[in-house]
Amino acid sequence: MEQLLISGDFDGVVRECEAQETRDASRGKLTDGDVLSVSLLTYIAKNELPSAKFLWKRTHPSIKESSAQLRLAWNVGKALWKRQFAAAFDLLKNSAWSDIIGQY
């Protein structure tokens, strides 16, 4: 997934994240918050806010609670949803993102 991010292949990133989410669900496993964070931010980058919102809604509460990156990504999505563009860009620019997200 990292190579897809670095190359800017957002469609590939979405495919990979969705495939991981499907694999995890078929095994009765919860998808990692880092994967969901990348997925959510990729939806935002592709201007697919409804997809980002549906991802947030289907994410298990324990993952939402345990993943600060995922909550932060959703805060960006919420700001964009509410058309609070300055707040969204401030969050993107000034937040402490993980290494893989920070590169992206």
Side-chain angles (χ1 to χ4, degrees):
M1 183 177 344
E2 191 171 345
Q3 275 306 117
L4 294 170
L5 284 170
I6 291 169
S7 70
D9 182 1
F10 294 149
D11 290 332
V13 172
V14 166
R15 279 192 304 275
E16 182 61 34
C17 289
E18 289 174 350
Q20 181 65 48
E21 194 177 355
T22 301
R23 282 190 301 273
D24 290 344
S26 71
R27 296 178 186 141
K29 180 182 168 194
L30 297 175
T31 302
D32 182 75
D34 290 340
V35 172
L36 295 174
S37 298
V38 169
S39 185
L40 200 146
L41 287 168
T42 303
Y43 285 135
I44 289 170
K46 292 179 59 162
N47 198 28
E48 294 180 7
L49 288 178
S51 296
K53 185 175 184 179
F54 291 133
L55 172 64
W56 178 255
K57 286 182 173 267
R58 73 176 176 263
T59 298
H60 193 276
S62 66
I63 301 298
K64 290 178 184 178
E65 188 176 306
S66 67
S67 176
Q69 291 286 290
L70 182 60
R71 289 191 310 275
L72 187 55
W74 179 237
N75 286 339
V76 172
K78 279 193 306 190
L80 290 171
W81 193 268
K82 295 176 183 178
R83 304 185 65 76
Q84 298 170 344
F85 303 117
F89 287 110
D90 186 55
L91 283 168
L92 286 168
K93 182 179 177 186
N94 297 318
S95 296
W97 297 100
S98 66
D99 289 342
I100 192 163
I101 293 173
Q103 294 177 42
Y104 155 58

